[in-house]
Amino acid sequence: LVTSADDVAKVLSSAKSAAKSSETLPTAFSDMYQRITSVADDADPTPVAEAILACNDAYSRASRTSRAKIASWKHRVSRNLLVPRYGAGADALLRRTLDLFDRDTMAAAGLPRAGEQRLVIRKKLQERTEGILKRLYDDQMALLEKNTLKKFQRTL
């Protein structure tokens, strides 16, 4: 947390020294390409790298697609309203998100190293989406508990 002029000076100094360092930051492509070429076999690594990048792109697309529905649900809960048929909707959203990812990455599944990376990325997408849906479920349960407690207090 930057709270004083000294803190600002330290941050600027750190930023300048980091900018002057001769190390180049790896891009997603160069990082993936280095990982693929480090494995000892004579196969052309370019298709594998392209497939892995396509998996990353599919992850972004599938995640972005589910975000719109999740945002509308979050907005509803923020107004102290429950999402009707949330369980069925959340299950369908998760299934649709993973199906979209699977459809877009089917070609990568056939490549040895890309197939493994595809499964890692798919698991990450699934865990991230399930985590968001679980937090939204928990928020609704807390809201339901609060509303039930209010109704109970009024009846006393």
Side-chain angles (χ1 to χ4, degrees):
L1 190 62
V2 179
T3 57
S4 68
D6 288 337
D7 292 341
V8 171
K10 288 177 187 174
V11 168
L12 286 175
S13 172
S14 296
K16 286 179 184 177
S17 65
K20 289 180 184 177
S21 73
S22 62
E23 294 179 28
T24 58
L25 296 175
T27 63
F29 185 77
S30 66
D31 182 44
M32 195 56 60
Y33 195 80
Q34 286 176 349
R35 262 195 262 160
I36 292 168
T37 55
S38 68
V39 175
D41 79 18
D42 295 330
D44 181 16
T46 305
V48 175
E50 289 172 349
I52 291 172
L53 289 173
C55 289
N56 287 329
D57 187 48
Y59 171 92
S60 298
R61 214 175 10 264
S63 180
R64 193 173 38 249
T65 301
S66 67
R67 256 190 306 228
K69 188 65 163 174
I70 291 171
S72 70
W73 287 344
K74 282 183 177 181
H75 181 65
R76 186 171 173 83
V77 172
S78 72
R79 294 185 340 236
N80 292 329
L81 299 170
L82 297 175
V83 177
R85 300 189 43 78
Y86 177 73
D91 186 50
L93 178 70
L94 179 61
R95 197 172 331 107
R96 211 172 32 248
T97 300
L98 294 176
D99 287 349
L100 175 64
F101 178 82
D102 289 341
R103 187 191 72 222
D104 290 350
T105 60
M106 208 43 70
L111 298 170
R113 290 172 295 212
E116 295 164 6
Q117 189 64 29
R118 176 192 170 276
L119 292 176
V120 169
I121 295 169
R122 186 184 192 279
K123 183 178 180 187
K124 181 179 164 186
L125 176 65
Q126 181 176 356
E127 289 173 350
R128 180 181 176 278
T129 307
E130 285 175 345
I132 292 169
L133 294 173
K134 183 183 181 325
R135 284 190 296 279
L136 193 54
Y137 172 81
D138 291 342
D139 291 347
Q140 290 183 82
M141 290 303 291
L143 179 62
L144 188 59
E145 182 180 346
K146 184 177 90 174
N147 290 342
T148 304
L149 207 55
K150 280 183 184 177
K151 286 180 184 177
F152 179 72
Q153 292 293 332
R154 278 185 286 194
T155 60
L156 292 180

